[in-house]
Every structure is written in structure tokens, then in C-alpha cells.
Amino acid sequence: MSVEDGKKFNLDLLIQQIGPFGKFQLLNYLLICLPIAMTAMYTLTFVFTAGDLDYRCRIPGCDEGESPSLDAPFLDFTTPKDGDKFSSCEKFLHVPNATVTDQCQADLFNPNQRRSCSEFVYQDDETTILSEWDLGCSEEWKLSLVGTINNVGQLVCLPMTGYFSDRFGRRTAFILGSIFAASFGLVRSFSTSYIMFIIFEFLEPALSAGVYSAGFILGMELVGPERRVLGAFFINVFYALGEALLGLLAMFTRDWRLLMQVAYVPTFLFILYRWLIPESARWLVNMNRTRSAAKIIDRAARMNKSPLTADAKKMLDDALQKNVETEEKSEKLKAEEPIVKEYRLMAALKSRTLLLRLINCSYCWIAICFVFYGMSMNSVTVAGDKYLNFILTCLIEIPGAGICCLFMDRIGRRPMLCISLILSGASCIAFIFLSDLPEAAQLTVFLIGKLNISMSFITIYVYTAELFPTELRHTLLATCSMFGRIGSILAPFTPLLGKYVESLPMILFASLAISSGVFIMFAPETFNKTLPDTLQEAEDIGT
């Protein structure tokens, strides 16, 4: 956008004139929230598709028929015990006796010699890829790898989505990401092997993980500074509802293929959003398409029934009367300036101020993603019903979003991040010492930790989006989010670590949460600041 155009078309003034969060913005936020709720499920489907099950060795001569029982009386003399439970991976050596018909007798098994299992019996009320392809015992690491591969896909996607969104529009990135998610997720539900499953587990997020960030920015760029937190509240409530819906669907389907088909098919409907939601007005102005942006503002003013001042009305009318050919020429010139965009990105990275902020934010993202996703995954290992625990762990994000909405505009973004991260870390430390207490007490402390880290997640999105300029906002937000995926890539292995050292996941969660809460206080406050459009404006925040 040229300087002259910027003086003629003051988008921040017009947004205040039409109302910072009127009926138009509310309707758009509700529409944006639906795909976000659906894609929220997809970030955690592996918790159930690659979930752990109870299983044991199949005992030849004893396990007859197509559906042997998981619990059987012959386990006392055929299977060794690991602590209080029968071993899942070993059995006693069977010494067949051709002179007897019944091969399932105690004297035909040698308790002094153990053998690894090659066939297994699984619980019969649920199916996951564990039972589909026998991924227990020595193959158990492949279950954790599913979550890691999913997050590697997100890591690949986020910088591409950031560039694509800044180049071709927030709405385009938002819709395409939703359709890619539906397509690859549905194909994955028909996987015929672990290799095919893992390939599509990567491809789906690699082409769709930017839906949340694209939708977040698409909504935020059309509201006033004082209503950005309210917008974030709407998005994160629907995100939590989407995650909880996953737990509910898993509870009722209990079949990984059916779960995926039910979860992914409805997302194809979002192709209709091409005609239902507008492009970001701020992005259009930045691309010199002020006439298109003016149309959106005019429609918003009419729907919100907002009277405009004479100056604002003249500004809007002048933009609406702009020659279409002139706008198209300006847009083409803008589209032919990727080198300028790259130069600005390099300039941002050469700025010591912005680089230090980017590093600080990136570390905070790593910690938050590691703790947030790690606690969601470990919720199914907390004492009690795994489905209920997962649903409650997701729903606790809603009061977290409400607390953010109430306090972020009172105490600021930076203190909110610091307090919530430290409290989350403290809850994780407290949980370590509660193993002897009732299940309800353990779950309560666990939920307090998840409540606080969900508050951190909401705040870091708002804070990062406010910290960087319009021309690089999605690119740098995606960069921070990309680093955050380092945390979520490592998080799927925390339940596996917990099998060896029970308290280790919580120790790791607490260490990262508390340290990042301290470091973020060295970054500037963005509360009630106008969104920066240029590098200089971004550098001036906090000075």
C-alpha cells in the first residue's frame, strides 16, 4: 500500500466507526469457528487412533476360537506377572504332549522359561492401529511415532501457510487447509498398512495445519484492538469444543476407522466458505485492493447499522469509486514484489530488537505446545475413565478462555503469560506428589495445570499477532508456531517416558513452563496498542 493510499484509507478509523465487534464481526467469527472446531479434532485424533489397549499373549492350545477372552483362568500358569499384572509381551514355554488331548494344562508349561509373544489377544470393546497391525511390545514406539509424525507435518505446513496467506489471502489459506484436511484424513481411514497410515498422517497436517492460524488472523484483522481478546475467546471456545467432540466420538465409535470417517467427512462442506465469509480487509488494503476492502467495510457498516462520520463516509466513498482497472494494476504490481517481501523479512531478522523478540516468543511457543499437547495426551493415562478424562481436559480450556477474556485486557498480555505459565508448572510439580490421593484429587490438580497452560496458549496467539507488522504478521506468527511444533513433536513420547519414570513427564512440563514464564517478561507489552503495519512501528512497541 502506498503512503498516499494509506492516508486516504484509514482502516483502523473505519473499524472503530463500524463498531469494533458488531453483528458483522460476530457472524464472521461464528463461521470461522466451525472449521476451527473440526480441525481441532484432527490435531489429536492420534490419541485414539494410535491409542494404547489392554492385551496379552495368545496361548496356543488354550486360546481357541475366533474371539478369546482377555481375562482367562489359564493365565495363572501360562503367563508371568509384571508386578500386579500379567505380562503383555511374554509367556511361559509350552511343552506339548501328544498323548493328551487337552494341551491347556499347568504341567505342560515351564514357568522357568519365558518366550516373547508373536500373537496377541486384545480387549474386544475398542480397536486402534495397535490391534489392527500388532504394534505392541517391541513395536510400541510406532504408536508414539504417529503423534510425532503428525506434528512434523504441522511443522512443515506452518511456514508455507504463513507465506501463502500473506501472498494469496487469509480466506484462501483457510478454505484450502480445511479441504486438504478432509481429503487426506478420509483417505487415511482406509489405510491398508502402517506405512500407508503414517504417510497420510504426515500429509494431512503438512497441507492443512495452518487452518487455525489463518482463521485466527482472518477474524482478528477485522476487529478493534479492544475486542481482539473477545475474538480469541470465541475461537478458543470452539477449539476446545472440537477437541471434546473428538473424545465423545471416540467414546461412542470405539473404532479408529469409523472415528476418522465421522470426524472428517463434514469438513468438505467448508468449500462453501468461498461465498460465505469475506477476505481480510486489512490484507486487501496491504495488497493495494482498497476498493475490495471498502466493500467489506461498507457491508459491515450496513449490517452493524453504524452511522459513519462525514470524514469516514467520504473516505469510504472515495475508495468505492476507485477505478477497478487501477486496483487490478496495483494488485499485479504488489503480487510482483516477492523480493521486496523477502527483503523486509531479512530486515526484520537483522533488527536486533525484533530478532530477540522472535527468539523469546519461539521459546515460549515451544514450552506451551509441549505442555499443552503433552497434558492432553497424558490425560488418558490419569486414573479414571480415559474418555471422560480427555473430555474434561479439553473442556477446561473454555473457563481458561473466559479467564483470559476477563483479565488479559486488565493486566496485559505479558503478565498473563507469565502468571499462567508459572501456575501451570506449579500444578505439574504438585501432581507428582498426589499419587496416593483419590482419583478426583489427582484429576483436579491435573485440570488446574491444563487450565493455566490453555490460558497461555490463547494469550501467546494474541500476543504474537500483536507484536509483528501486518506485512509479515502471518509469516512471523507461523515461524513462532513452527518452533512451537518442536514441543508438540516431542510431546507424544511423554506417555512412553512415563512407563519408565512415572513422574518424568510432569517434571519436564514444569521445567519448560516455569522457565518460559520468566523469560517472557523481558518482551514488551502490546496491550491496547494499534496493530503495527510496518517494521518501524513494530520496533517502536514498548519503547
Side-chain angles (χ1 to χ4, degrees):
M1 181 176 63
S2 68
V3 176
E4 186 180 353
D5 284 339
K7 292 178 179 178
K8 289 181 179 178
F9 195 82
N10 188 330
L11 183 60
D12 292 310
L13 172 64
L14 289 171
I15 288 175
Q16 291 299 323
Q17 291 281 309
I18 64 172
F21 203 95
K23 184 179 178 181
F24 181 82
Q25 290 99 323
L26 176 61
L27 177 62
N28 276 283
Y29 258 100
L30 291 176
L31 288 172
I32 288 168
C33 284
L34 293 178
I36 285 177
M38 298 302 292
T39 54
M41 291 194 288
Y42 309 154
T43 61
L44 290 171
T45 50
F46 61 84
V47 173
F48 297 104
T49 60
D52 199 9
L53 298 173
D54 290 329
Y55 60 93
R56 64 169 176 83
C57 295
R58 178 182 288 272
I59 309 297
C62 295
D63 284 313
E64 302 296 339
E66 295 183 358
S67 301
S69 173
L70 188 64
D71 298 315
F74 56 74
L75 295 181
D76 290 326
F77 58 81
T78 62
T79 308
K81 279 196 170 184
D82 292 333
D84 297 330
K85 298 176 64 177
F86 287 107
S87 173
S88 299
C89 304
E90 291 185 320
K91 60 185 178 182
F92 292 136
L93 175 65
H94 181 222
V95 184
N97 187 343
T99 63
V100 298
T101 303
D102 184 6
Q103 294 293 313
C104 190
Q105 298 182 41
D107 57 356
L108 299 180
F109 291 86
N110 185 350
N112 297 318
Q113 294 189 47
R114 297 186 178 192
R115 293 291 184 269
S116 297
C117 305
S118 58
E119 295 181 298
F120 301 90
V121 174
Y122 298 93
Q123 64 182 81
D124 57 7
D125 62 341
E126 183 179 1
T127 61
T128 70
I129 65 170
L130 167 60
S131 55
E132 184 91 11
W133 297 306
D134 286 335
L135 300 178
C137 300
S138 61
E139 302 282 286
E140 195 173 30
W141 60 272
K142 291 183 178 180
L143 298 177
S144 298
L145 183 64
V146 173
T148 294
I149 290 295
N150 181 286
N151 284 284
V152 169
Q154 295 183 47
L155 179 67
V156 171
C157 176
L158 290 169
M160 293 193 303
T161 303
Y163 175 80
F164 188 90
S165 172
D166 285 341
R167 184 82 163 75
F168 300 104
R170 313 327 191 185
R171 182 181 62 180
T172 305
F174 185 62
I175 296 171
L176 283 179
S178 298
I179 301 307
F180 279 132
S183 302
F184 287 106
L186 186 60
V187 171
R188 192 164 85 253
S189 72
F190 294 100
S191 296
T192 57
S193 67
Y194 177 78
I195 297 298
M196 178 180 174
F197 181 89
I198 211 75
I199 288 172
F200 282 95
E201 185 73 45
F202 170 79
L203 289 176
E204 182 220 316
L207 293 170
S208 68
V211 169
Y212 183 94
S213 58
F216 188 92
I217 291 177
L218 181 59
M220 188 191 69
E221 289 187 335
L222 196 60
V223 300
E226 67 273 27
R227 291 293 182 267
R228 292 177 201 149
V229 174
L230 180 60
F233 172 76
F234 273 106
I235 285 177
N236 284 280
V237 165
F238 275 81
Y239 191 91
L241 290 174
E243 292 176 315
L245 179 60
L246 171 65
L248 196 63
L249 292 176
M251 180 189 295
F252 285 105
T253 58
R254 297 188 180 241
D255 179 275
W256 71 272
R257 293 184 188 274
L258 180 59
L259 170 62
M260 294 186 69
Q261 289 158 12
V262 171
Y264 281 92
V265 168
T267 304
F268 283 107
L269 293 173
F270 298 132
I271 195 171
L272 299 175
Y273 273 39
R274 171 64 180 80
W275 300 277
L276 291 178
I277 61 174
E279 181 54 89
S280 164
R282 191 175 292 274
W283 178 82
L284 290 169
V285 171
N286 198 53
M287 295 296 289
N288 290 338
R289 294 171 60 181
T290 52
R291 186 171 183 271
S292 299
K295 287 182 178 180
I296 295 172
I297 297 298
D298 184 57
R299 196 189 333 158
R302 295 175 188 277
M303 183 176 289
N304 292 351
K305 298 180 180 178
S306 303
L308 301 179
T309 62
D311 289 343
K313 186 167 178 41
K314 184 178 185 305
M315 185 191 307
L316 192 61
D317 289 341
D318 288 345
L320 288 170
Q321 292 170 10
K322 184 178 179 181
N323 187 282
V324 178
E325 292 182 0
T326 302
E327 180 173 277
E328 289 177 350
K329 183 177 180 181
S330 298
E331 184 185 353
K332 288 179 181 178
L333 289 173
K334 187 76 176 181
E336 292 170 0
E337 294 179 351
I339 296 175
V340 175
K341 174 82 177 282
E342 291 174 9
Y343 170 78
R344 288 170 180 162
L345 178 59
M346 292 304 298
L349 296 178
K350 288 178 180 178
S351 166
R352 184 175 183 273
T353 300
L354 293 181
L355 181 60
L356 288 175
R357 292 175 186 175
L358 183 63
I359 293 171
N360 198 339
C361 279
S362 296
Y363 178 72
C364 196
W365 271 88
I366 292 171
I368 291 173
C369 286
F370 181 71
V371 180
F372 181 88
Y373 288 109
M375 294 194 76
S376 294
M377 295 168 201
N378 280 272
S379 65
V380 297
T381 65
V382 177
D385 181 83
K386 69 176 183 179
Y387 299 105
L388 181 60
N389 288 350
F390 181 85
I391 292 170
L392 290 176
T393 301
C394 296
L395 291 179
I396 199 68
E397 296 171 26
I398 295 178
I403 294 172
C404 270
C405 192
L406 289 174
F407 289 100
M408 207 191 302
D409 281 342
R410 287 176 170 81
I411 66 174
R413 286 49 163 148
R414 190 177 57 174
M416 192 75 189
L417 270 172
C418 176
I419 292 170
S420 59
L421 282 165
I422 291 175
L423 287 177
S424 180
S427 300
C428 291
I429 293 173
F431 183 83
I432 297 172
F433 301 99
L434 301 179
S435 57
D436 295 331
L437 293 184
E439 292 178 0
Q442 295 181 49
L443 182 59
T444 299
V445 174
F446 189 89
L447 291 176
I448 291 172
K450 182 62 188 299
L451 169 74
N452 280 282
I453 200 63
S454 65
M455 290 162 55
S456 302
F457 215 140
I458 296 166
T459 309
I460 195 64
Y461 254 104
V462 176
Y463 182 70
T464 307
E466 292 178 339
L467 199 59
F468 299 115
T470 299
E471 57 195 5
L472 293 172
R473 181 168 298 120
H474 201 167
T475 299
L476 294 178
L477 173 61
T479 300
C480 290
S481 186
M482 178 184 70
F483 278 105
R485 295 304 144 189
I486 296 173
S488 53
I489 284 170
L490 298 174
F493 284 95
T494 55
L496 191 60
L497 290 176
K499 291 185 176 183
Y500 298 98
V501 181
E502 188 175 358
S503 61
L504 186 55
M506 290 299 170
I507 293 172
L508 294 174
F509 295 156
S511 301
L512 266 73
I514 292 173
S515 61
S516 62
V518 173
F519 289 147
I520 202 64
M521 290 304 292
F522 293 96
E525 180 57 71
T526 61
F527 173 51
N528 233 14
K529 306 285 186 183
T530 300
L531 284 177
D533 286 320
T534 65
L535 291 176
Q536 186 59 53
E537 290 175 2
E539 285 184 331
D540 290 342
I541 293 177
T543 59

